[in-house]
């Protein structure tokens, strides 16, 4: 797996987890379960990017850089979904700031 798209997938999964925890606190679980999650949108884009990279390698009979296809195919659906749902500013500013302020670090 490439590093940058993998990090985006991890970020999307963590953000989805944060949204589920927030909706559980306000009893809006049906709303959270009825829509596509950021991880689902990003993983579909990742799969599409892998398919495009394989097709391009076959068509041009030469190896292609996978990041050329994976990064746009994962990032574009993620940003479009965030823009449509109005979460782009929250994602850009870092939604995990409140959680890390109250975290306890244990040094062993």
């Amino acid at each position: 797996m490439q590093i940058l798209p993998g990090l985006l997938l991890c970020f999307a999964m963590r953000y989805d987890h944060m949204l589920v925890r927030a909706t559980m606190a306000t009893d809006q679980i049906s709303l959270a379960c009825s829509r596509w999650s950021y991880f689902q949108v990003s993983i579909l884009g990742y799969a599409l990017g892998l398919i495009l990279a394989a097709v391009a390698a076959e068509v041009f009979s030469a190896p292609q850089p996978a990041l050329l296809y994976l990064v746009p195919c994962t990032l574009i659906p993620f940003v479009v979904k965030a823009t449509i749902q109005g979460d782009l500013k929250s994602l850009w500013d870092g939604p995990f700031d409140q959680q890390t302020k109250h975290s306890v670090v244990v040094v062993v």
Side-chain angles (χ1 to χ4, degrees), residues 3 6-7 9-10 23 44-45 50-51 59 64 96-98 100:
I3 298 293
L7 287 174
L9 291 173
C10 291
T23 56
L44 285 175
L50 283 177
I51 292 169
V59 168
Q64 299 288 316
F96 311 115
D97 193 31
Q98 293 175 346
T100 57

Side-chain angles (χ1 to χ4, degrees), residues 43-64:
I43 200 77
L44 285 175
Y46 190 87
L48 177 65
L50 283 177
I51 292 169
L52 286 175
V55 168
E58 287 295 320
V59 168
F60 296 115
S61 298
Q64 299 288 316

Side-chain angles (χ1 to χ4, degrees), residues 13 16 18 26 38 42 49 54 60 64 71-72 83 94 96 101-102:
M13 185 178 282
D16 287 338
M18 187 193 74
T26 59
Y38 285 99
S42 298
F60 296 115
Q64 299 288 316
V71 171
T83 303
F96 311 115
K101 285 181 181 176
H102 303 293

Side-chain angles (χ1 to χ4, degrees), residues 9-105:
L9 291 173
C10 291
F11 180 78
M13 185 178 282
R14 186 171 176 200
Y15 190 76
D16 287 338
H17 180 69
M18 187 193 74
L19 287 177
V20 167
R21 288 180 66 191
T23 56
M24 285 175 60
T26 59
D27 293 330
Q28 296 177 353
I29 297 173
S30 61
L31 176 65
C33 296
S34 66
R35 59 186 175 156
W36 284 67
S37 69
Y38 285 99
F39 180 74
Q40 290 171 334
V41 169
S42 298
I43 200 77
L44 285 175
Y46 190 87
L48 177 65
L50 283 177
I51 292 169
L52 286 175
V55 168
E58 287 295 320
V59 168
F60 296 115
S61 298
Q64 299 288 316
L67 285 178
L68 181 67
Y69 302 97
L70 292 178
V71 171
C73 286
T74 54
L75 191 60
I76 290 172
F78 184 84
V79 170
V80 167
K81 177 176 172 44
T83 303
I84 290 170
Q85 296 207 328
D87 291 337
L88 189 60
K89 181 163 176 35
S90 171
L91 286 166
W92 187 263
D93 291 340
F96 311 115
D97 193 31
Q98 293 175 346
Q99 290 179 353
T100 57
K101 285 181 181 176
H102 303 293
S103 299
V104 177
V105 177

